[in-house]
Amino acid sequence: MNINEIKIGDKVSVSKTLTQTDVYMFAGISGDLNPAHVNTVAAKEGIFGKPVVHGVLTAGLISNAIGMHLPGPGTIYMSQTLNFKKPVFFDDTVTATVEVIEIIKEKFVKLSTICTNQDGEIVIEGEAMVLPPK
Amino acid sequence: MNINEIKIGDKVSVSKTLTQTDVYMFAGISGDLNPAHVNTVAAKEGIFGKPVVHGVLTAGLISNAIGMHLPGPGTIYMSQTLNFKKPVFFDDTVTATVEVIEIIKEKFVKLSTICTNQDGEIVIEGEAMVLPPK
């Protein structure tokens, strides 16, 4: 959608269960083989007691919500802030919700970007700035 | 490495060629099938003239540098800012460089996080805050 179709308060959510498969594929893509993600034995002795999903992988759901829905195809992604609030574990179902919070100079759109788990706990909070399609 | 082993100016880089395979796997993981990434025909008519790599996928190399090297395994990733400065195209070779810029309360480490392409152009700039292992 273009800038004229977007108003403050517009909101979209996407959900996905993030599995071991996702984590292992992302480890290969990113080269991030941190034992916190791909070593069950080491992760058991870590602070969370079991392997966790890469934070940046979870942020992929925000990219999904922005790139597919709000503003959707043609959007230029300018910036993203990510505050990792809680761990995401294998098989957690994460919902990314993006909401328009500001329209700047009738050109740029600022979105609040929140990811929650199946218990409603916030796992990522942050904001994105995007340039919607012409 | 723990907080006592870390000093301002410590720096690590990791590099990877980001391919079509990476983009298509990440599209499946994230559900972000934005035509800018996975539709060659539509992307040809878009602003960049060809498909681009998901910005969040490129940010995976920062996660790699932090999680694998500086501070490395055991690190808690607290936050990340990402400013997407230029597009990354299929087969671009991206280098993520993380550098310690501040140590806060002898506990938290702030890193500058920069990704460059094979021509030395900055594609992502931002900062991360992490809690190194005890």
Side-chain angles (χ1 to χ4, degrees), chain B residues 7-27:
Chain B
K7 57 184 192 303
I8 290 171
D10 284 352
K11 194 184 332 196
V12 162
S13 294
V14 298
S15 296
K16 183 169 182 286
T17 305
L18 297 173
T19 68
Q20 188 185 55
T21 305
D22 294 314
V23 170
Y24 275 71
M25 285 172 63
F26 188 73

Side-chain angles (χ1 to χ4, degrees), chain A residues 10 12 14 46 56 59 62 64 78 90 96 116 124:
Chain A
D10 283 353
V12 162
V14 298
V56 175
I62 299 171
N64 171 335
M78 300 175 61
F90 295 4
T116 53
I124 297 179

Side-chain angles (χ1 to χ4, degrees), chain A residues 16 18 21-23 25-26 28-37 47-48 54-57 59-61 63-64 66-68 72-85, chain B residues 16 18 21-23 25-26 28-37 47-48 54-57 59-61 63-64 66-68 72-85:
Chain A
K16 183 168 182 285
L18 297 173
T21 304
D22 294 313
V23 170
M25 284 172 63
F26 188 73
I29 290 172
S30 66
D32 184 355
L33 295 143
N34 185 332
H37 309 301
I47 188 169
F48 300 122
H54 302 77
V56 175
L57 187 167
L61 296 180
S63 176
N64 171 335
I66 290 173
M68 299 282 286
T75 300
I76 308 291
Y77 205 171
M78 300 175 61
S79 67
Q80 177 73 56
T81 61
L82 300 166
N83 293 299
F84 303 110
K85 309 300 283 183
Chain B
K16 183 169 182 286
L18 297 173
T21 305
D22 294 314
V23 170
M25 285 172 63
F26 188 73
I29 291 172
S30 65
D32 184 355
L33 295 143
N34 186 332
H37 309 301
I47 189 171
F48 300 123
H54 302 77
V56 175
L57 187 167
L61 296 181
S63 176
N64 171 334
I66 290 172
M68 298 283 286
T75 299
I76 307 291
Y77 205 171
M78 300 175 61
S79 67
Q80 177 73 55
T81 61
L82 300 167
N83 294 300
F84 303 111
K85 310 301 283 183

